[in-house]
Structures are given as structure tokens and as C-alpha cells.
Amino acid sequence: MYAKFHSIGAYVPSKVLSNADLEKMVDTSDEWILKRTGISERRIAKDGENTSDMATKASKLAIERAGLDISEIDLVVCATVTPDYFNMPATACIISDKLGIKNVQAFDISSACSGFVYALSIAKAFVESGMKKHVLIIGAEKFSSIVDYTDRTTCILFGDGAGAAVISATQNKEEAFIDVHASADGSYSDFLMTPAPGTVNPVSQKVVDEGLNFVQMKGNETFKLAVKTLTKDVKDILAVNKISSDDIPHFIPHQANYRIIKAVGDSLKMKEEQVVVTVGKYGNTSAASIPMAINDIWESGRLKKGELMLLDTFGGGLTWASALLPFAGESK
Ligand code: ACO
């Protein structure tokens, strides 16, 4: 049994937070943000619109586009670091309930921006082992809930959104995943973190006073490591599978910063039309960034059935992952 990437869906909140809006909130400028990150605007979920709400909308589309009935989904995995609740229940359980999926295994994974590709590796293993047939994987984030909008070094980067995919069993090797690599190095855990809430810093007055519930990032160090790790990771997965970067019509990297995407694309000698870039309009949506980008090119008709995708991501943990696979759903 093989695993195939069966369908894609995404949800983007309607509220736009532009660089001009941020200029009114912190000491920054449209020019600085565009030049350093390539970001013009990002989307922000409404009050009361939670991670599970965005994820449910993306999931409905993915299930419908796979031509499946809700009852056929036999596993739900949600990648998020901004869950509806930080301890329990898992957001995947809430999404399952909102979708009407009953009595099915559902759990979250926490791998920050690498979450969606980590979830792909989990779905692949469940499907190839014969344990599951149609796995719903989701990357969904409400980063605006953990961003300090007085901190110019982080608030310009992040946005909200959700993407989902159905990974299904197939006996046709032509449409199967080629490879997924996923890895981590916890010695860099302080590069990107939210210090609270957790067992180290349970909720307290100190947490609120010191803003320990907000995302903290060593931006410059993370940037350098991201370029190095992402480049090595894609070169490795291409070499192991004896595929040239020329043969990849869709390189879909994590959308954190245009300069990172450009540096990795250039080192692979990718042409502009091979590299998918959505960071300008959505910012960094962490685990949602790659499925939102896949959905964008599918909806615009750019991604067709059978075409190869190379995914590459990097995030808090630190974690990183890459995947090489054909799009096995119907073209739009
Ligand atoms: N507006 C204006 N000036 C700013 C801003 C801002 N928004 N933010 C920082 N600056 C200033 C700094 O204070 C600094 O000033 P100084 O030289 O007087 O000290 C100067 O700009 C340069 O700061 P750097 O941090 O060196 O800027 P850099 O070019 O590295 O860009 C950025 C910062 C955009 C954060 C970049 O480092 C980056 O993208 N890092 C990687 C992020 C990433 O990939 N994260 C991983 C995934 S996220 C996840 O897993 C959830």
C-alpha cells in the first residue's frame, strides 16, 4: 500500500493587517518590512474565530475535493502551536466534532512551522502500514493570539490561516509519495519559543507582567540557520531520490521570509516560476503556510494532477522537514 496526496483546501481570514496598519502600531515602516521580509500584508482572524474554526473550513474543502464522505476519514491530525486550548482537549478533537467525524482517532502535533510536513510523514506511515485509508491532516494557526503587537521584531512577521489535505491509500505507485524527511535539534529550542503557559511557567501574574505568553524569537540567528538547514535538506532529499531540481515544477518552501526563500531557491538554481511565494500576502502562518501555498497554486490552476511538489520547512523546536511527492488530486 502507498500513500497519495489526494486533495487540498485552505481558509484565509478576511481581515487584512497591512504594513501601513503596523506603522501606526510600532516603530517600523512599509519599506523596512518589505525589504527585510517581502511581506506586504497578513490576515488576522476575527475575535471568537479560533484555530479550529479556520481548520474546519479548510478541512471541509479538502474532504469535498477528495470526493469523500465525512464517514470515510479514519484519522485526524492537526499541526498547530496555537491550539484552541493549550493543554486539552486537542484541537483535532474539536475539528472532528465540528466536521461531524465520530469515533475516529484525533490528535495534535506541535512542530511549529514544520507541522504540516511532520503531519504528512505521520499520515504516510499510517497509510503505508495499512492502519488507515483516508487521513485528514491540517496545519492551522491563530498566531495573532500569541504575538505581542508592541514588539516590532515579531509582530510584522506572522499571520493567521489554515490549510488541510487528505492523504489516501493507493496501490498505484505512480501517484504515491516519493519521500519525506523530518528532523529536529532541541539544542536550539530558545531560538523560537513562547515561554508560557507550560510546566516551566504556569499561568501567574509574572507571566502576564512579563508577557511570557508571547512568541520570542532570535530572528537573525534563526534566519542564518534556516537558510543553511533548508538548503541542505532539499539538496539531500533530491540527491537521495536522484531527482534534479530542474524536474521540480513546484518548489513550495515554508513562507517565513522572502529572503530565505530566495537564498534557498538560488542555491538550487531554481527559476522564478518554479518557486511558490505567498509570504507577501499572508506573512508567516507557521504550520498553515505550506498547505495555504499549495491551495493557492491549485486554485489558480497552476498545480495540475501528477505534477511533482517539493516541500521544505523549518521552524521552532528547532524542527525541519522536506517532502517530495506528486499532487495526486484532480486538477481544478
Ligand atoms: N522595523 C524597523 N526596524 C526593525 C524592525 C522593524 N519591524 N525589526 C527589527 N528592526 C531593527 C533592529 O532593531 C535592528 O536595529 P539595530 O541594527 O539598530 O540593532 C535592525 O532592524 C536589524 O535587525 P535584525 O534582527 O538583524 O534584522 P534581520 O535582517 O535579521 O531581519 C527578521 C529580522 C525579519 C526577523 C529576520 O531575521 C527573519 O526573518 N528571521 C527568521 C524568521 C524565521 O524564519 N523563523 C522561523 C520560522 S517561524 C516558526 O517556526 C513559528
Side-chain angles (χ1 to χ4, degrees), residues 16-19 21-22 30 33-34 38-43 156-159 278-284:
V16 173
L17 180 68
S18 68
N19 290 353
D21 296 326
L22 285 164
D30 175 48
I33 302 172
L34 257 182
I39 302 171
S40 299
E41 56 186 44
R42 58 296 286 140
R43 301 299 180 96
I156 56 148
L157 298 171
F158 297 101
T278 59
V279 68
K281 55 181 179 177
Y282 301 142
N284 179 350

Side-chain angles (χ1 to χ4, degrees), residues 268-305:
L268 290 169
K269 300 194 169 44
M270 291 266 186
K271 294 188 202 78
E272 212 173 286
E273 59 269 25
Q274 290 175 276
V275 184
V276 177
V277 181
T278 59
V279 68
K281 55 181 179 177
Y282 301 142
N284 179 350
T285 57
S286 184
S289 110
I290 286 187
M292 283 170 75
I294 298 174
N295 184 69
D296 250 52
I297 55 168
W298 184 83
E299 286 196 347
S300 68
R302 193 171 143 193
L303 175 64
K304 301 267 193 299
K305 184 170 187 160

Side-chain angles (χ1 to χ4, degrees), residues 227-245:
V227 172
K228 205 168 104 189
T229 310
L230 286 168
T231 307
K232 182 177 179 318
D233 209 23
V234 275
K235 283 187 173 164
D236 283 355
I237 199 167
L238 289 173
V240 166
N241 294 286
K242 301 187 173 54
I243 291 178
S244 152
S245 59

